[in-house]
Amino acid sequence: MANAHDSQLDEIQWKAPLIAQSMGGIQTNTVLPYFSGSPYFDATSNNATIMTQATHNPALFYLIQTREAFEARLRTMQGLEFMVAHDPSENGTKAEHSGIWVIRRQIRRKRAGTEDEITPISSFYVVGENIYMASSLGSVLGARLLATVTSLNKVIATASALPSFTPALGHTYLPPAPKALNPVASKEGTPVPGSQDPNSAKLASKHFLDQDLRSTHLLQSSLNLSLQYGHEYMDDNPLVGEPGSFMFTKNREAQQPGSQPKTKPAPVSRGPPTPQVKTDVPEPKTKPSMDTEMSPTTPGTKEKKTRRKSKPATSVTTPK
C-alpha cells in the first residue's frame, strides 16, 4: 500500500540525461533499467532481486538483455514488482510513437489452479527522459474540493460587504450608481467639468455609500427613540395662558380601569389681586318729581306695570 513517502513523490519530477545517453536513449528494453535509478523505485522489489542476480550470475545475464525475458521471470515470482503497462512502440515494432511509457507498481500473489492475483498500487509516466508519478484518486478529489472551498470562501468574503439597507431602497446588494449627466456643450478649449477627472465616479460612489451609512444610523436612532418614548404624548393636554395663570385646554381623560387614581394637581398660587381704579364719573342725583315714577327701571330688569288710578264708586238711585 502507499505510505506517507509516496504522497510526496507525486509532487516531484525526476530525470537523468547522462544515464539515458549511456543506455542509448529510452526504448522498450531500457525503460525499466532507467526507471530503477529514480526515487520511485523500491529496492526490495522483485525487479531489484533479478537485476542483482543477473549481474553476479552470468547464467542469468540474459534476463536483463530484453524486456520480454525480464518480465517473464517476474511472472514466475510473487511480491512487489514494476511492470510496463503501456508500451507506445508495441515492443519495438513501431519506429514513430508518442514516447510515453506507463509503468505500474503492483503486488502479485500466486493462486493454485487459477491466474495470479494482481493488486495495483500506483502508476508512473515516462515521458522522454522525465518520470512523473500519477496522483491517486483521493489526492485528485482532495485538491479539487480544496480549490472549490477556497473559491467559495473568497466569494462569501466578497459578497458579505455588498448588502446594505436604506429606508428609501430597503435591502440592496449594489450601491445605486449615480445618474450620468450629459456634458454641457462648451466652446473649444474649455474643459467640461468632470470629463477629465478619472476619480469622479469613485468619489460619487463613495458619497452614496457614506449617505447610505448615515441613513442607516438615522433609522436606527429613530427606532430606538420610538421604542423608548413611544408611549408618551407631549401634545395630549397642552397648557395655555400666561405665566402665573396656566390652564389646561381640556379636562383630564378618565382613568383607565385597574390603574391607580391620579392625584389632583395643586392649584396654581396666585399673587394678591391688583387694585382696580374706577375712572367713570357718577352722574348727579336728581330729586324725583311726582310726574316720574318713584323708582326708575334698572337696566336688565323687567319693566314695572303702571297702576291705574281707581275711580270713585257712584251710587245708583232707584226710582221711587
Side-chain angles (χ1 to χ4, degrees):
M1 300 299 291
N3 51 23
H5 181 65
D6 294 338
S7 62
Q8 301 176 0
L9 293 177
D10 60 352
E11 301 177 0
I12 65 174
Q13 170 195 352
W14 184 86
K15 65 178 180 178
L18 296 179
I19 298 178
Q21 291 177 4
S22 64
M23 294 181 177
I26 306 300
Q27 53 179 336
T28 184
N29 293 327
T30 59
V31 61
L32 286 177
Y34 180 73
F35 180 81
S36 63
S38 67
Y40 309 108
F41 188 75
D42 192 344
T44 61
S45 62
N46 294 335
N47 298 58
T49 303
I50 293 174
M51 285 189 293
T52 303
Q53 293 175 356
T55 302
H56 296 84
N57 189 357
L60 300 177
F61 186 74
Y62 73 95
L63 297 176
I64 59 176
Q65 296 298 317
T66 60
R67 185 170 65 86
E68 292 82 359
F70 189 85
E71 291 182 349
R73 182 71 176 185
L74 286 176
R75 292 187 181 95
T76 61
M77 305 171 67
Q78 67 176 358
L80 180 64
E81 63 184 13
F82 293 89
M83 297 282 288
V84 176
H86 173 69
D87 185 0
S89 64
E90 298 180 1
N91 201 11
T93 58
K94 291 178 64 176
E96 296 181 359
H97 51 80
S98 61
I100 300 177
W101 280 266
V102 179
I103 299 177
R104 181 176 298 165
R105 178 181 180 179
Q106 57 190 15
I107 295 178
R108 183 183 298 271
R109 294 182 177 90
K110 293 292 183 178
R111 296 186 297 180
T114 59
E115 296 182 355
D116 299 341
E117 180 185 356
I118 298 176
T119 304
I121 299 177
S122 57
S123 299
F124 305 90
Y125 299 97
V126 181
V127 184
E129 298 177 353
N130 302 322
I131 302 179
Y132 307 90
M133 180 179 179
S135 301
S136 61
L137 180 61
S139 301
V140 174
L141 292 178
R144 296 297 177 86
L145 290 176
L146 179 60
T148 303
V149 172
T150 304
S151 300
L152 288 176
N153 289 335
K154 292 180 179 180
V155 170
I156 292 174
T158 305
S160 61
L162 292 179
S164 60
F165 176 80
T166 57
L169 301 177
H171 290 280
T172 57
Y173 290 91
L174 293 175
K179 295 182 179 179
L181 300 177
N182 295 328
V184 181
S186 59
K187 295 182 179 179
E188 184 179 358
T190 304
V192 179
S195 60
Q196 298 181 356
D197 188 4
N199 298 325
S200 58
K202 296 182 179 180
L203 295 177
S205 177
K206 184 178 180 182
H207 172 71
F208 276 95
L209 290 177
D210 295 341
Q211 186 176 3
D212 293 343
L213 185 60
R214 288 194 299 269
S215 300
T216 304
H217 289 325
L218 179 60
L219 176 62
Q220 183 178 2
S221 61
S222 301
L223 290 176
N224 292 335
L225 292 176
S226 176
L227 293 176
Q228 186 175 1
Y229 303 105
H231 61 282
E232 299 181 5
Y233 300 93
M234 299 181 64
D235 295 337
D236 189 15
N237 196 3
L239 298 175
V240 296
E242 57 186 3
S245 60
F246 286 114
M247 297 177 60
F248 290 102
T249 56
K250 59 181 179 179
N251 296 332
R252 292 180 176 272
E253 297 180 356
Q255 295 182 357
Q256 298 179 357
S259 61
Q260 297 180 358
K262 298 181 180 179
T263 57
K264 187 176 181 181
V268 182
S269 59
R270 300 182 180 180
T274 305
Q276 298 181 0
V277 180
K278 295 183 179 181
T279 57
D280 52 344
V281 180
E283 297 180 359
K285 297 182 179 180
T286 56
K287 188 175 181 181
S289 60
M290 297 299 294
D291 299 334
T292 62
E293 297 178 351
M294 294 299 295
S295 58
T297 305
T298 306
T301 59
K302 293 182 179 180
E303 184 179 359
K304 294 183 178 181
K305 295 181 180 181
T306 54
R307 301 175 65 182
R308 293 183 179 181
K309 296 181 179 179
S310 58
K311 297 181 178 180
T314 57
S315 60
V316 179
T317 58
T318 57
K320 292 181 180 181

